[in-house]
Amino acid sequence: MNFSFAAAWYWALLALPIIVFYLLKVRLRRVPVSTVMFWEQVIEEQQARSRWQQLRHWISLLMQLLLLALLVLALSDPYFLWEVRQQRRVVLVVDNSASMQATDVRPTRLGRAKEMSHVVINRLRFRDEMAVITAGTQPRVVCGLTSHQRNLRAAIDGIVPTDGPTRVVESLELGRRLLASHPNGELVVLSDGGFEAIPGRPALTDAQTTWIPLGAATRNVAITRFQVRRSLLDPLGYQVLVEVRNLSPDPVESRLELELAENLVDVWPLKLAAGERWIRHIEQTSAVGGLLTARIRHEDPLPLDNVARAILPSRRRQPVVLVTSGNRFLQGVFTVNPLVDLEVTPTPPSAAKPGVVTVFHKTIPEKWPAGDVVVLQPESASPFWEV
């Protein structure tokens, strides 16, 4: 047996004053009394019990010395060499990606993963160490290597689901770095397996890795891609790229709804075979921006991927003041854009308004107005150019 703090045995010297106090005898005080008749009876009774009283005092001394020995032993922290040789280092990888919110396992896959994590923590032996890593959108160490089970349980209970893909492969690499070639290292992975191996990365299974699968293949239909942008040609138009995939082993029928600012834009019926992808490039027209939502009307264990959202920027109207003596073709350039509020005047404005673009055609002002200015076909030179 070895001791972590051998210096704690110096506290055993406290046994000396305990023994000294027990060996010291208190001298009885002499007091004159009128008669000793009653005291003789007391002395006779005490003599009959003297042996038991002496034994009782020795038992009390031994109990106090035993208590002191136990305290010193606890402070010295004894351990056996086999405990050091068999000390384990466990890294627990918990998948908290979007697919872990599926309800095919009660309460959810992530909820079941937390329950299984507590079971793994309860199986830790004395001097074992554990770290906890989440494998969500970004691998993160939520609890470093420790043997304090209360901190480990608090870290597990604090794990929240994410809406992104899983990063189990990267989390395994991080876990192997935490193991640092420990002779008794172990990786425990709790995941639903909703990922693919990355070429060129280390193998997902080895002698140190233990997989605890959660959930199974379900009838899931998901929006796997959703992108929106303003049209490069139509000032009022916008373009949407949406992809829907049937991840179930059976064909399904559903519909896809597109909403802008809680207003229904369009509906598409879907008939997808097993594993089929449905991709559409959609063009719509609206100057109003806001939250653009794509929603699949289909009941499955993972409703999270049935809805996708994107922000569509709004098109603001642009006031333009055209200073010209008259040019219908130039006016038509501005009026063809429905977002332009055009004002035509033969004389320059006295003061520029905020946000207004002033366009000068041929005529050059003596004093340039503040704000944005465009000059077309100048007839004379200026400090900014030569004709």
Side-chain angles (χ1 to χ4, degrees), residues 4 8 62 68 133 147 182 231 263 328 347 352 375:
S4 300
L62 293 176
L68 177 62
I133 299 176
S147 58
H182 195 277
S231 174
N263 296 320
R328 294 184 178 274
T347 59
V375 179

Side-chain angles (χ1 to χ4, degrees), residues 66-133:
L66 179 60
L67 179 61
L68 177 62
L70 292 176
L71 290 175
V72 173
L73 188 64
L75 292 174
S76 62
D77 192 12
Y79 64 90
F80 296 96
L81 290 178
W82 63 266
E83 292 181 323
V84 178
R85 296 191 187 99
Q86 297 183 8
Q87 177 185 2
R88 296 187 305 162
R89 179 176 294 178
V90 183
V91 176
L92 187 66
V93 179
V94 181
D95 187 358
N96 62 333
S97 59
S99 61
M100 293 294 288
Q101 300 184 48
T103 57
D104 58 332
V105 178
R106 296 298 178 184
T108 61
R109 293 180 180 178
L110 181 59
R112 178 63 62 85
K114 291 183 178 181
E115 295 175 0
M116 298 301 298
S117 299
H118 286 293
V119 174
V120 176
I121 294 174
N122 294 334
R123 293 176 180 174
L124 291 177
R125 299 175 304 190
F126 185 63
R127 297 185 181 277
D128 288 349
E129 293 181 326
M130 176 180 281
V132 181
I133 299 176

